[in-house]
Amino acid sequence: MAIRDGAVTFRVLSAGAGPPVVYFHSTPERGGWSPFLAALAERHAVHAPFHPGVQGSTGVETLDDVLDLALVYDELLDRLGLARPHLIGHFFGGMVAAELAALFPHRVGRLVLVSPLGLWRDDAPSVDVS
């Protein structure tokens, strides 16, 4: 799915039916559809985008920081037609989900953070864990 006139593309895995959930993966969690997502898809419409630069998603070099990543994810939610999905984020994905929820609280149904890396702070940036 292309965003920003094709500068960023997302590979998004989707399955299930019900209330929408967007899952933001961790840095080392680059495999694909996990048993966790399969169980979640039994009751929800699950969308699991890969971060730019991971598993076919592109455009990481066009993004400036976590804020910019959150902004491009907001555009992805629009493209997916999701008004108020529940957001789940694990580790780095937790940081992204928290940033998105902080910027656009009206866009988030519920927010679940699993061992989040933290919130972005310019005065105390997180260590590069990649």
Side-chain angles (χ1 to χ4, degrees):
M1 185 160 295
I3 305 295
R4 295 185 178 175
D5 296 324
V8 178
T9 62
F10 284 100
R11 178 175 171 224
V12 182
L13 305 179
S14 298
V21 170
V22 178
Y23 178 75
F24 298 96
H25 66 86
S26 172
T27 305
E29 182 186 14
R30 299 173 179 198
W33 200 256
S34 68
F36 169 71
L37 295 178
L40 196 58
E42 291 175 9
R43 294 187 175 180
H44 296 84
V46 178
H47 304 279
F50 286 100
H51 301 304
V54 177
Q55 292 287 330
S57 291
T58 64
V60 67
E61 68 282 352
T62 69
L63 302 175
D64 294 325
D65 50 26
V66 173
L67 170 62
D68 204 17
L69 181 60
L71 295 173
V72 81
Y73 270 121
D74 179 56
E75 293 179 53
L76 179 64
L77 294 182
D78 282 341
R79 291 291 312 274
L80 292 171
L82 302 175
R84 286 185 53 85
H86 303 312
L87 305 182
I88 300 174
H90 177 223
F91 196 59
F92 176 73
M95 176 186 264
V96 174
E99 188 75 19
L100 186 58
L103 291 168
F104 306 104
H106 64 280
R107 302 262 349 216
V108 180
R110 292 186 178 180
L111 177 64
V112 177
L113 304 177
V114 181
S115 189
L117 183 58
L119 292 174
W120 184 260
R121 290 180 37 193
D122 287 335
D123 63 327
S126 297
V127 175
D128 183 355
V129 294
S130 57

